[in-house]
Amino acid sequence: MGDIFIWLISFFILIALVVLLIYQLTCLADLEFDYINPYDSSSRINKVVLPEFFLQGFLCLFYLLTGHWVMSLLSTPYLYYNVRLYTSKQHLVDVTEIFNLLQREKNQRYYKLAYLVVLLFLSLFWIIFSALELEDD
C-alpha cells in the first residue's frame, strides 16, 4: 500500500512541474503576441524558475530515498540540466534579451515539458502496476 502512495506523491509533483512549465510557456506566448510587456513576462517567469528547480531536485531525491532507482536515473538528466543552468547563471530570463531569445526559451521549455510528460506516463504506469500487484495479494 505504501508503494501506491509513493507513486501518487511522485505523480502530483510531476503534475506541479508540468503546470509550472505551462505557466512559463503561457507567459512567453503572451509576450510573443504582445499581450504583456517584457518586464512583466520576465518577472512572472523568474518567480517560478527556482521553485521548479527545487521541486525537480526534491523529486529526484525522493526517488532515491524511496528506492526507485530507475526513476531516479531517468530524472537525473533533467536535474543536471537545471543545475548546469543555475551554476552558469542562465536560469533567469533577462528583460533586455527576452525578444532575442524568445524562440530558444520556448524550445527549452517545450523540451522540458516533453521530458516531464514521459516521466508522468511512467509514474502513471507504476501507479497502475502497484495497484494491480496489491490486488493480487
Side-chain angles (χ1 to χ4, degrees):
M1 187 70 153
D3 217 24
I4 292 177
F5 288 124
I6 290 170
W7 287 117
L8 281 174
I9 291 169
S10 152
F11 181 77
F12 288 124
I13 291 172
L14 285 167
I15 291 289
L17 284 168
V18 167
V19 166
L20 287 175
L21 281 174
I22 289 174
Y23 176 75
Q24 292 174 30
L25 284 168
T26 304
C27 289
L28 289 172
D30 286 349
L31 178 67
E32 186 177 20
F33 294 117
D34 255 356
Y35 294 138
I36 57 175
N37 61 33
Y39 178 77
D40 288 338
S41 180
S42 298
S43 65
R44 289 178 184 177
I45 292 171
N46 290 340
K47 283 180 188 174
V48 297
V49 167
L50 284 180
E52 173 201 346
F53 286 7
F54 287 129
L55 207 52
Q56 175 60 29
F58 173 75
L59 182 66
C60 193
L61 183 66
F62 181 71
Y63 284 142
L64 276 175
L65 293 177
T66 57
H68 296 97
W69 311 110
V70 175
M71 288 298 285
S72 177
L73 285 174
L74 288 175
S75 64
T76 303
Y78 182 49
L79 179 65
Y80 170 74
Y81 181 72
N82 286 343
V83 168
R84 193 180 59 138
L85 280 178
Y86 184 78
T87 56
S88 63
K89 304 214 185 292
Q90 295 178 348
H91 61 289
L92 297 177
V93 177
D94 187 17
V95 177
T96 59
E97 292 291 321
I98 194 165
F99 278 116
N100 296 334
L101 302 174
L102 186 62
Q103 196 59 39
R104 185 182 77 90
E105 293 289 335
K106 282 176 64 176
N107 285 339
Q108 174 186 4
R109 281 158 180 85
Y110 280 133
Y111 291 136
K112 283 182 172 185
L113 186 62
Y115 195 78
L116 284 176
V117 166
V118 168
L119 288 178
L120 189 68
F121 280 119
L122 284 172
S123 179
L124 188 60
F125 167 77
W126 284 113
I127 290 172
I128 294 169
F129 182 78
S130 296
L132 291 176
E133 191 177 71
L134 182 66
E135 187 178 292
D136 288 341
D137 291 340

